[in-house]
Amino acid sequence: LESIGIENIIKHEKELIEYGQEILQKNNSVKLIGNPKKKGAVLSFTIDGIHAHDVAQVLDQYDITVRAGHHCCNPLLRSLGVNATARVSYYFYNTIEDIDRLMKGLKSAQSLLGK
């Protein structure tokens, strides 16, 4: 981490999160959950008509790992009217190509699950 530099990691994560957010918003079935001014490299989302656990299972077939569920904030999700979310996290070893693969996997999930 010291050889890469914390500032470089922060810059890279910011680029990834901005690209990921932009790409996810292009899919009308994807709803991003939350948009804080100061955010880490994490995006939580839902896909219309598809449970987050099913999304995670399909993405696993593309070697894409996401977390699915309540993420220890069930009261918040309940107040938002959301059953569960999928959550993707980025770090210095992730690339733009990883986000593009995520989108391919999400399109596959939508196709496979008839949504």
Side-chain angles (χ1 to χ4, degrees), residues 20 23-24 43 45 55 59 62 64-66 88 90 96-108:
I23 291 296
L24 286 171
L43 291 172
F45 61 92
V55 171
L59 291 176
Y62 287 83
I64 300 168
T65 303
V66 297
V88 62
Y90 304 115
I96 295 294
E97 291 78 18
D98 291 334
I99 299 170
D100 292 338
R101 269 188 325 115
L102 169 67
M103 285 309 301
K104 183 177 178 182
L106 292 177
K107 288 178 184 177
S108 178

Side-chain angles (χ1 to χ4, degrees), residues 13-23 43 90:
E13 286 180 356
K14 184 177 183 210
E15 291 169 358
L16 292 174
I17 200 74
E18 287 174 358
Y19 181 73
Q21 191 168 337
E22 177 184 327
I23 291 296
L43 291 172
Y90 304 115

Side-chain angles (χ1 to χ4, degrees), residues 23 38 47 93:
I23 291 296
K38 293 184 179 183
I47 298 180
Y93 46 75

Side-chain angles (χ1 to χ4, degrees), residues 27-28 55 93 111:
N27 184 327
N28 293 333
V55 171
Y93 46 75
S111 177

Side-chain angles (χ1 to χ4, degrees), residues 4-114:
I4 295 170
I6 296 301
E7 292 303 318
N8 290 329
I9 292 171
I10 292 169
K11 180 182 175 204
H12 182 69
E13 286 180 356
K14 184 177 183 210
E15 291 169 358
L16 292 174
I17 200 74
E18 287 174 358
Y19 181 73
Q21 191 168 337
E22 177 184 327
I23 291 296
L24 286 171
Q25 288 174 330
K26 287 183 179 180
N27 184 327
N28 293 333
S29 296
V30 174
K31 179 180 178 191
L32 291 171
I33 306 299
N35 189 19
K37 291 180 182 177
K38 293 184 179 183
K39 64 178 115 188
V42 176
L43 291 172
S44 294
F45 61 92
T46 61
I47 298 180
D48 292 341
I50 305 175
H51 195 281
H53 291 120
D54 295 330
V55 171
Q57 189 170 16
V58 171
L59 291 176
D60 186 54
Q61 296 172 16
Y62 287 83
D63 294 326
I64 300 168
T65 303
V66 297
R67 299 289 296 182
H70 299 130
H71 315 293
C72 298
C73 59
N74 197 20
L76 172 62
L77 292 181
R78 194 170 34 249
S79 73
L80 294 172
V82 175
N83 185 9
T85 66
R87 183 182 70 201
V88 62
S89 304
Y90 304 115
Y91 200 43
F92 71 89
Y93 46 75
N94 291 114
T95 65
I96 295 294
E97 291 78 18
D98 291 334
I99 299 170
D100 292 338
R101 269 188 325 115
L102 169 67
M103 285 309 301
K104 183 177 178 182
L106 292 177
K107 288 178 184 177
S108 178
Q110 289 174 287
S111 177
L112 288 170
L113 299 171

